[in-house]
């Protein structure tokens, strides 16, 4: 969430940034500033009363020591009144703080200056492209390839669970596992420490990274235990550092994690969500970074280059989009999407989002670092490196041979143990 002091010092900049997002509830900015003014006034009154109370307590102690019991008891009556007033002010202060936080939870992050205004995905900018993205006739969509070679059984997933829960079989399962191991190996080679996190989180973790309350309806909720199935490993990995003050020498922190991901919202129905295009359960390898504010944009560029390297090695046609403000996620200040071209479907498929949240998540998490005697909020970043379903779909569609077989990308052969599917 935004820092109130930042809103105070940069009110017009915040409002203009939120306008780029098409955020309609701009009145919340004035509301939060008004409440904060009342909070500060109440805090001053409370501090004054507490100081007076402490002063009287010392006087009372001295009076009792000198035998002036009557005068001491009179002052004790004053301290009782002060305690009652301080209790009222403390309750009022808590109300103001809760109201401020509830409003801040409703305000999205301010877009980076590089992010252009726009309404939706149609306004995103293409900043890089690589490979042949021309349609190829005769290529089968991945769901037909999967059925032909018994790699993925979508109907069996419906039987066991429901739509959006595929069953990977044989070489399909081995290819999936190969991609997971390949991504983890590449990430750890780039100095990302591997983490195996929990796949369910509590409410505080959801609030910490911004899934709550913004995306509450998109997560699977276990009511009996008050826990949520994770939509991405970003949530548990970043929450490792909730309520933590790091030392300057510990930074930066770089983590990678594999996890299944669970999302209730699966979009519209029809050809755009067939097969692996959009699922309720899927696998993903994530990279997460904790950075000092002055280093976070350089870290973002480094993460973008890292994901580019993965797609280059897989030899898939891809492009990079810088999302417009209207398409940028609630907590993100700037996001780059990676899309791979599907020769069979003749469309672009998103396979990664790399984002810099600046101090938006860190403020929720109370994640700081200590430099000297002062503490400062850190910046958090994350990205998919990579999401599995559409990468696997792209391989099945883009690596089709004339005889109908599927060639395996060279970098994956040591992981799969086979070089083709036929």
């Amino acid at each position: 969430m935004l820092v109130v002091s930042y809103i105070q010092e940069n009110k017009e900049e915040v409002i203009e940034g939120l306008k780029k997002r098409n955020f309609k509830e701009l009145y919340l900015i004035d509301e939060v500033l008004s409440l904060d003014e009342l909070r500060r006034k109440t805090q001053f009154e409370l501090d004054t009363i507490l100081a007076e109370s402490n002063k009287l307590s010392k006087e009372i102690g001295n009076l009792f020591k000198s035998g002036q019991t009557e005068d001491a008891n009179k002052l004790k009556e004053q301290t009782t009144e002060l305690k009652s007033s301080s209790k009222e002010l403390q309750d009022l202060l808590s109300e103001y703080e809760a109201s401020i936080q509830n409003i801040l939870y409703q305000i999205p992050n301010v877009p980076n200056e590089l992010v252009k205004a726009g309404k939706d995905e149609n306004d995103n900018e293409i900043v890089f492209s690589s490979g042949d993205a021309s349609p190829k006739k005769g290529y089968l969509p991945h769901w037909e390839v999967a059925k032909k070679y018994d790699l993925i059984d979508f109907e069996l997933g419906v039987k066991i669970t429901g739509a959006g829960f595929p069953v990977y079989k044989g070489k399909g399962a081995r290819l999936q596992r190969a991609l997971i191991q390949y991504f983890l190996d590449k990430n750890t080679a780039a100095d990302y420490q591997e983490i195996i996190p929990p796949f369910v989180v509590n409410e505080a973790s959801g609030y910490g990274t911004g899934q709550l309350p913004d995306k509450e309806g998109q997560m699977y909720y276990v009511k009996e235990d008050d826990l949520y199935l994770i939509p991405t490993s970003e949530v548990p990995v970043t929450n490792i550092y909730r309520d933590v003050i790091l030392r300057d020498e510990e930074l930066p922190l770089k983590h990678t994690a594999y996890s299944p991901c669970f999302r209730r919202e699966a979009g519209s129905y029809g050809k755009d969500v067939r097969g692996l295009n959009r699922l309720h359960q899927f696998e993903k390898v994530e990279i997460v970074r904790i950075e000092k504010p002055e280093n976070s944009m350089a870290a973002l560029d480094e993460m973008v280059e890292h994901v580019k390297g993965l797609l280059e090695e897989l030899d898939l046609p891809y492009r990079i989009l810088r999302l417009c403000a209207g398409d940028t996620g609630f907590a993100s200040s700037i996001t780059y999407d990676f899309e791979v071209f599907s020769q069979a479907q003749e469309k672009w498929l998103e396979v990664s989002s790399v984002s810099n949240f600046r101090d938006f998540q860190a403020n929720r998490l109370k994640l700081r670092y200590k430099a000297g005697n002062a503490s400062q909020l850190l910046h958090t970043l994350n990205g998919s490196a990579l999401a599995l379903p559409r990468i696997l779909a792209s391989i099945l569609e883009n690596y089709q041979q004339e005889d109908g077989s599927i060639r395996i990308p060279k970098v994956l052969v040591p992981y799969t143990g086979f070089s083709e599917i036929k």
Side-chain angles (χ1 to χ4, degrees):
M1 60 188 175
L2 296 179
V3 180
V4 174
S5 60
Y6 179 82
I7 298 175
Q8 289 171 334
E9 296 165 11
N10 305 276
K11 180 180 175 181
E12 294 307 315
E13 177 188 328
V14 169
I15 289 174
E16 289 305 310
L18 295 177
K19 284 180 179 178
K20 285 171 64 175
R21 278 184 173 272
N22 308 302
F23 183 67
K24 305 300 183 186
E25 291 77 23
L26 294 174
Y27 64 88
L28 292 176
I29 298 299
D30 286 328
E31 280 193 17
V32 79
L33 293 179
S34 296
L35 281 167
D36 187 63
E37 186 176 347
L38 291 171
R39 181 198 64 79
R40 286 185 284 113
K41 181 182 177 181
T42 304
Q43 184 69 65
F44 177 78
E45 292 176 3
L46 178 61
D47 291 342
T48 301
I49 287 176
L50 291 175
E52 179 66 19
S53 181
N54 289 334
K55 180 182 175 182
L56 288 176
S57 294
K58 290 179 181 179
E59 290 183 17
I60 291 168
N62 292 330
L63 288 171
F64 275 124
K65 285 180 182 179
S66 61
Q68 302 177 61
T69 305
E70 185 177 345
D71 290 339
N73 286 328
K74 287 180 180 179
L75 289 182
K76 283 184 70 176
E77 292 178 6
Q78 292 183 39
T79 60
T80 300
E81 293 175 4
L82 288 174
K83 284 181 180 178
S84 176
S85 297
S86 67
K87 176 64 169 61
E88 292 176 4
L89 287 171
Q90 186 62 63
D91 291 343
L92 185 59
L93 187 64
S94 297
E95 289 179 17
Y96 286 144
E97 289 174 345
S99 296
I100 289 169
Q101 181 160 287
N102 286 336
I103 292 175
L104 290 175
Y105 279 150
Q106 301 172 53
I107 302 173
N109 204 348
V110 176
N112 183 278
E113 60 185 11
L114 294 174
V115 177
K116 290 188 176 182
K119 292 184 178 180
D120 52 36
E121 60 185 15
N122 297 312
D123 297 318
N124 294 337
E125 301 176 83
I126 301 173
V127 296
F128 184 83
S129 61
S130 175
D132 181 11
S134 60
K136 301 292 191 298
K137 298 299 181 184
Y139 278 45
L140 296 176
H142 67 270
W143 53 86
E144 292 187 19
V145 175
K147 186 173 184 179
K148 178 179 179 180
Y149 293 112
D150 198 23
L151 305 174
I152 308 168
D153 196 324
F154 297 100
E155 289 76 16
L156 186 56
V158 171
K159 172 187 174 182
I160 297 171
T161 308
F165 296 89
V167 176
Y168 298 84
K169 302 166 66 177
K171 287 188 174 181
R174 289 172 65 184
L175 179 55
Q176 176 93 333
R177 179 158 49 89
L179 282 164
I180 294 167
Q181 190 61 59
Y182 166 68
F183 293 147
L184 286 172
D185 284 353
K186 294 295 291 186
N187 295 346
T188 54
D191 296 325
Y192 287 89
Q193 181 191 45
E194 184 174 354
I195 300 285
I196 300 178
F199 300 152
V200 292
V201 294
N202 56 29
E203 184 179 67
S205 294
Y207 274 95
T209 46
Q211 277 66 37
L212 297 176
D214 182 52
K215 297 181 176 65
E216 185 169 11
Q218 297 183 26
M219 291 195 291
Y220 284 96
Y221 177 58
V222 184
K223 183 177 180 180
E224 291 78 6
D225 301 303
D226 195 22
L227 296 172
Y228 294 85
L229 277 64
I230 62 170
T232 167
S233 59
E234 165 214 349
V235 180
V237 173
T238 309
N239 270 279
I240 291 172
Y241 301 101
R242 175 157 45 89
D243 298 319
V244 169
I245 298 178
L246 294 166
R247 298 188 307 275
D248 186 76
E249 59 269 22
E250 292 180 278
L251 299 165
L253 288 166
K254 301 168 63 176
H255 292 311
T256 184
Y258 154 77
S259 77
C261 305
F262 305 91
R263 298 185 185 179
R264 291 185 63 246
E265 194 280 310
S268 59
Y269 295 93
K271 63 182 180 64
D272 291 337
V273 295
R274 290 194 64 180
L276 299 172
N277 286 354
R278 195 178 294 271
L279 301 172
H280 289 303
Q281 175 185 313
F282 60 96
E283 282 66 45
K284 186 150 68 85
V285 176
E286 195 83 356
I287 50 177
V288 172
R289 293 178 70 145
I290 312 292
E291 295 278 350
K292 294 181 183 178
E294 63 268 26
N295 299 332
S296 69
M297 287 303 290
L300 178 68
D301 292 340
E302 189 179 307
M303 293 169 74
V304 168
E305 289 301 313
H306 180 72
V307 176
K308 280 175 67 175
L310 298 177
L311 291 169
E312 293 284 353
E313 287 196 0
L314 289 172
D315 197 20
L316 292 168
Y318 72 96
R319 67 182 186 182
I320 305 174
L321 308 175
R322 183 163 53 225
L323 301 191
C324 72
D327 200 32
T328 300
F330 184 88
S332 176
S333 71
I334 181 170
T335 295
Y336 290 96
D337 270 7
F338 286 75
E339 296 181 337
V340 170
F341 188 74
S342 162
Q343 304 284 14
Q345 299 180 65
E346 300 183 9
K347 61 182 291 187
W348 292 95
L349 304 174
E350 181 194 331
V351 295
S352 176
S353 286
V354 180
S355 300
N356 185 348
F357 301 96
R358 295 179 60 83
D359 59 9
F360 192 86
Q361 289 182 331
N363 191 28
R364 289 178 172 228
L365 294 160
K366 296 181 175 60
L367 166 57
R368 299 174 178 269
Y369 77 103
K370 197 161 189 177
N373 294 323
S375 64
Q376 186 175 351
L377 287 172
L378 285 158
H379 283 193
T380 61
L381 306 92
N382 78 356
S384 308
L386 287 159
L388 274 294
R390 293 172 182 174
I391 287 291
L392 194 147
S394 299
I395 290 173
L396 296 181
E397 294 179 352
N398 292 348
Y399 273 87
Q400 294 178 31
Q401 307 301 300
E402 289 185 2
D403 63 357
S405 64
I406 309 298
R407 182 166 58 87
I408 302 300
K410 289 182 180 179
V411 292
L412 294 180
V413 173
Y415 295 93
T416 59
F418 54 86
S419 59
E420 61 181 355
I421 298 172
K422 64 178 182 180

